Coordinates of all heavy atoms in Angstrom, one line a residue:
P23 N 21.2 -50.1 101.1 CA 22.6 -50.6 101.5 C 23.5 -51.2 100.4 O 24.7 -51.2 100.5 CB 22.1 -51.8 102.5 CG 20.7 -52.1 102.1 CD 20.1 -50.9 101.6
S24 N 22.7 -51.5 99.2 CA 23.5 -51.9 98.1 C 22.8 -51.7 96.8 O 21.6 -51.5 96.9 CB 23.9 -53.5 98.3 OG 22.7 -54.2 98.2
I25 N 23.6 -51.7 95.8 CA 23.0 -51.6 94.4 C 23.7 -52.6 93.5 O 24.9 -52.8 93.6 CB 23.3 -50.2 93.7 CG1 22.7 -49.0 94.5 CG2 22.8 -50.2 92.2 CD1 23.0 -47.7 93.9
N26 N 22.9 -53.5 92.9 CA 23.5 -54.5 92.0 C 22.7 -54.4 90.7 O 21.5 -54.6 90.8 CB 23.4 -55.9 92.7 CG 24.2 -56.0 93.9 OD1 25.5 -56.1 93.9 ND2 23.6 -56.0 95.1
A27 N 23.4 -54.2 89.6 CA 22.6 -54.0 88.4 C 23.5 -54.4 87.2 O 24.7 -54.5 87.2 CB 22.4 -52.4 88.2
L28 N 22.7 -54.8 86.2 CA 23.3 -55.1 84.8 C 23.4 -53.7 84.1 O 22.5 -53.3 83.5 CB 22.5 -56.1 84.1 CG 23.0 -56.5 82.8 CD1 24.2 -57.4 83.1 CD2 22.0 -57.4 82.0
G29 N 24.6 -53.0 84.4 CA 24.7 -51.7 83.9 C 24.8 -51.6 82.3 O 24.2 -50.7 81.7
Q30 N 25.4 -52.6 81.7 CA 25.5 -52.7 80.1 C 25.2 -54.0 79.8 O 25.6 -55.0 80.5 CB 26.9 -52.3 79.7 CG 27.3 -50.8 80.0 CD 28.5 -50.4 79.2 OE1 28.4 -49.8 78.2 NE2 29.7 -50.8 79.6
A31 N 24.5 -54.2 78.7 CA 24.2 -55.4 77.9 C 23.8 -55.0 76.6 O 22.8 -54.6 76.3 CB 23.1 -56.2 78.6
Y32 N 24.7 -55.2 75.6 CA 24.6 -54.6 74.2 C 25.1 -55.6 73.2 O 26.0 -56.3 73.5 CB 25.2 -53.2 74.1 CG 26.7 -53.3 74.4 CD1 27.7 -53.6 73.4 CD2 27.3 -52.9 75.6 CE1 29.0 -53.6 73.6 CE2 28.7 -53.0 75.8 CZ 29.5 -53.3 74.8 OH 30.8 -53.3 75.1
L33 N 24.6 -55.3 72.0 CA 25.1 -56.0 70.7 C 25.7 -54.8 69.9 O 25.0 -53.8 69.9 CB 24.1 -56.7 70.1 CG 23.4 -57.9 70.8 CD1 22.2 -58.4 70.0 CD2 24.5 -59.0 71.1
Q34 N 26.8 -55.0 69.3 CA 27.3 -54.0 68.4 C 27.9 -54.5 67.1 O 28.3 -55.6 67.0 CB 28.2 -53.1 69.1 CG 29.7 -53.7 69.3 CD 30.6 -52.7 69.9 OE1 30.3 -51.9 70.7 NE2 32.0 -52.8 69.6
Y35 N 27.9 -53.6 66.1 CA 28.5 -53.9 64.8 C 29.6 -52.7 64.6 O 29.3 -51.6 64.8 CB 27.6 -53.9 63.7 CG 28.4 -54.1 62.4 CD1 28.9 -55.3 62.0 CD2 28.5 -52.9 61.5 CE1 29.6 -55.4 60.8 CE2 29.1 -53.0 60.2 CZ 29.6 -54.3 59.9 OH 30.3 -54.4 58.7
E36 N 30.9 -53.1 64.3 CA 31.9 -52.1 64.2 C 32.7 -52.3 63.1 O 33.3 -53.5 62.8 CB 32.7 -52.0 65.5 CG 33.8 -50.9 65.5 CD 34.5 -50.9 66.8 OE1 34.5 -51.9 67.6 OE2 35.2 -49.9 67.0
M37 N 33.0 -51.2 62.3 CA 34.0 -51.2 61.2 C 35.0 -50.1 61.8 O 34.7 -49.0 61.7 CB 33.5 -50.8 59.9 CG 32.4 -51.8 59.4 SD 31.6 -51.1 57.8 CE 33.1 -51.0 56.8
P38 N 36.1 -50.5 62.2 CA 37.1 -49.6 62.9 C 37.3 -48.3 62.2 O 37.6 -48.4 61.0 CB 38.3 -50.4 63.2 CG 37.9 -51.8 63.2 CD 36.7 -51.9 62.3
K39 N 37.2 -47.1 62.9 CA 37.4 -45.8 62.3 C 36.4 -45.6 61.2 O 36.7 -44.5 60.4 CB 38.8 -45.7 61.8 CG 39.9 -45.8 63.0 CD 41.3 -45.5 62.4 CE 42.3 -45.5 63.6 NZ 43.7 -45.3 63.1
R40 N 35.3 -46.2 61.0 CA 34.3 -45.9 59.9 C 32.9 -46.0 60.5 O 32.3 -45.0 60.4 CB 34.5 -46.9 58.9 CG 35.8 -46.8 58.1 CD 35.8 -47.7 56.8 NE 34.7 -47.2 55.9 CZ 34.4 -47.9 54.8 NH1 35.1 -49.0 54.5 NH2 33.5 -47.5 54.0
L41 N 32.5 -47.1 61.2 CA 31.1 -47.2 61.7 C 31.0 -48.0 62.9 O 31.7 -49.0 63.0 CB 30.3 -47.8 60.5 CG 28.9 -48.2 60.8 CD1 28.1 -46.9 60.9 CD2 28.3 -49.1 59.7
L42 N 30.1 -47.5 63.8 CA 29.8 -48.3 65.0 C 28.3 -48.1 65.2 O 27.7 -47.0 65.2 CB 30.5 -47.7 66.2 CG 30.1 -48.2 67.5 CD1 30.3 -49.6 67.7 CD2 30.7 -47.4 68.7
I43 N 27.6 -49.2 65.4 CA 26.2 -49.4 65.8 C 26.0 -50.2 67.0 O 26.5 -51.3 67.0 CB 25.3 -49.9 64.6 CG1 25.4 -49.0 63.4 CG2 23.9 -50.0 65.1 CD1 24.8 -49.6 62.1
R44 N 25.5 -49.7 68.1 CA 25.3 -50.4 69.3 C 23.9 -50.3 69.8 O 23.3 -49.3 69.8 CB 26.3 -49.8 70.4 CG 26.2 -50.6 71.7 CD 27.2 -49.9 72.7 NE 28.6 -50.0 72.2 CZ 29.5 -49.1 72.5 NH1 29.2 -48.0 73.1 NH2 30.8 -49.3 72.1
V45 N 23.4 -51.5 70.1 CA 22.0 -51.7 70.6 C 22.0 -52.3 72.0 O 22.6 -53.3 72.2 CB 21.2 -52.5 69.6 CG1 19.7 -52.7 70.0 CG2 21.2 -51.9 68.2
G46 N 21.2 -51.6 72.9 CA 21.0 -52.1 74.3 C 21.3 -51.2 75.3 O 21.3 -50.0 75.1
N47 N 21.8 -51.7 76.4 CA 22.1 -50.9 77.6 C 23.6 -50.6 77.5 O 24.4 -51.4 77.4 CB 21.8 -51.7 78.9 CG 20.5 -52.2 79.1 OD1 19.5 -51.7 78.4 ND2 20.3 -53.1 79.9
Q48 N 23.9 -49.2 77.6 CA 25.2 -48.8 77.3 C 25.6 -47.5 77.9 O 24.7 -46.7 78.3 CB 25.4 -48.7 75.8 CG 24.4 -47.9 75.1 CD 24.4 -47.9 73.6 OE1 25.3 -47.6 73.0 NE2 23.3 -48.5 73.1
V49 N 26.9 -47.3 78.0 CA 27.5 -45.9 78.4 C 27.4 -45.1 77.1 O 27.9 -45.4 76.1 CB 28.8 -46.1 78.9 CG1 29.5 -44.7 79.2 CG2 28.8 -46.9 80.2
I50 N 27.0 -43.8 77.3 CA 27.0 -42.8 76.2 C 27.6 -41.6 76.7 O 27.4 -41.2 77.8 CB 25.6 -42.6 75.7 CG1 25.1 -43.8 74.9 CG2 25.5 -41.3 74.8 CD1 23.6 -43.7 74.4
N51 N 28.5 -41.0 75.9 CA 29.2 -39.8 76.4 C 29.1 -38.7 75.3 O 29.8 -38.7 74.3 CB 30.7 -40.1 76.6 CG 31.5 -39.1 77.4 OD1 30.8 -38.0 77.7 ND2 32.7 -39.3 77.6
T52 N 28.2 -37.8 75.5 CA 28.0 -36.5 74.7 C 27.9 -35.3 75.6 O 27.9 -35.4 76.9 CB 26.7 -36.6 73.9 OG1 25.6 -36.5 74.7 CG2 26.7 -37.9 73.2
P53 N 28.0 -34.0 75.1 CA 28.1 -32.9 75.9 C 27.0 -32.8 77.0 O 27.2 -32.3 78.2 CB 28.1 -31.7 75.0 CG 28.6 -32.2 73.7 CD 28.2 -33.7 73.6
W54 N 25.7 -33.1 76.6 CA 24.6 -32.9 77.6 C 23.8 -34.1 77.8 O 22.6 -34.2 78.4 CB 23.6 -31.8 77.0 CG 24.3 -30.5 76.9 CD1 24.9 -29.9 76.0 CD2 24.3 -29.5 78.2 NE1 25.4 -28.6 76.4 CE2 25.0 -28.4 77.8 CE3 23.8 -29.6 79.4 CZ2 25.3 -27.4 78.6 CZ3 24.0 -28.4 80.3 CH2 24.8 -27.4 79.8
M55 N 24.5 -35.2 77.6 CA 23.9 -36.6 78.0 C 25.1 -37.6 78.1 O 25.6 -38.0 77.1 CB 22.9 -36.9 76.9 CG 22.1 -38.1 77.3 SD 20.8 -38.3 75.9 CE 19.9 -39.7 76.5
G56 N 25.5 -37.9 79.3 CA 26.6 -38.7 79.5 C 26.6 -39.5 80.8 O 25.7 -39.6 81.5
P57 N 27.7 -40.1 81.1 CA 27.9 -41.1 82.2 C 27.9 -40.3 83.6 O 27.5 -41.0 84.6 CB 29.0 -41.9 82.1 CG 30.0 -40.9 81.2 CD 29.0 -40.2 80.3
R58 N 28.3 -39.1 83.7 CA 28.5 -38.4 85.0 C 29.2 -39.3 85.9 O 28.7 -39.5 87.1 CB 27.1 -37.9 85.5 CG 26.3 -37.1 84.6 CD 25.0 -36.7 85.0 NE 25.0 -35.9 86.3 CZ 24.2 -36.0 87.3 NH1 23.3 -37.0 87.4 NH2 24.2 -35.1 88.4
D59 N 30.3 -39.9 85.5 CA 31.0 -41.0 86.3 C 31.9 -40.3 87.4 O 33.0 -40.5 87.5 CB 31.8 -41.7 85.4 CG 32.3 -43.0 86.1 OD1 31.7 -43.4 87.1 OD2 33.1 -43.7 85.5
S60 N 31.3 -39.5 88.3 CA 32.0 -39.0 89.5 C 31.5 -39.6 90.8 O 31.8 -39.2 91.9 CB 31.8 -37.5 89.6 OG 30.5 -37.2 89.7
R61 N 30.6 -40.6 90.7 CA 30.1 -41.3 91.9 C 30.5 -42.8 91.7 O 31.3 -43.1 90.9 CB 28.6 -41.1 92.0 CG 28.1 -39.8 92.1 CD 28.6 -39.0 93.3 NE 28.0 -37.8 93.7 CZ 28.1 -36.6 93.1 NH1 29.0 -36.5 92.1 NH2 27.5 -35.5 93.5
M62 N 29.8 -43.6 92.6 CA 30.2 -45.0 92.6 C 30.0 -45.7 91.2 O 30.8 -46.4 90.7 CB 29.5 -45.7 93.6 CG 30.1 -45.6 95.0 SD 31.7 -46.3 95.0 CE 31.5 -48.1 94.8

């Protein structure tokens, strides 16, 4: 009847337009591994 979840929980280090490192629960978007965000 319901889903309640901690979908993301991450730490990250970012140098804009140069470097990004993210650790934890996160959305990832690549050709064969991604969010498939067409449902709830």
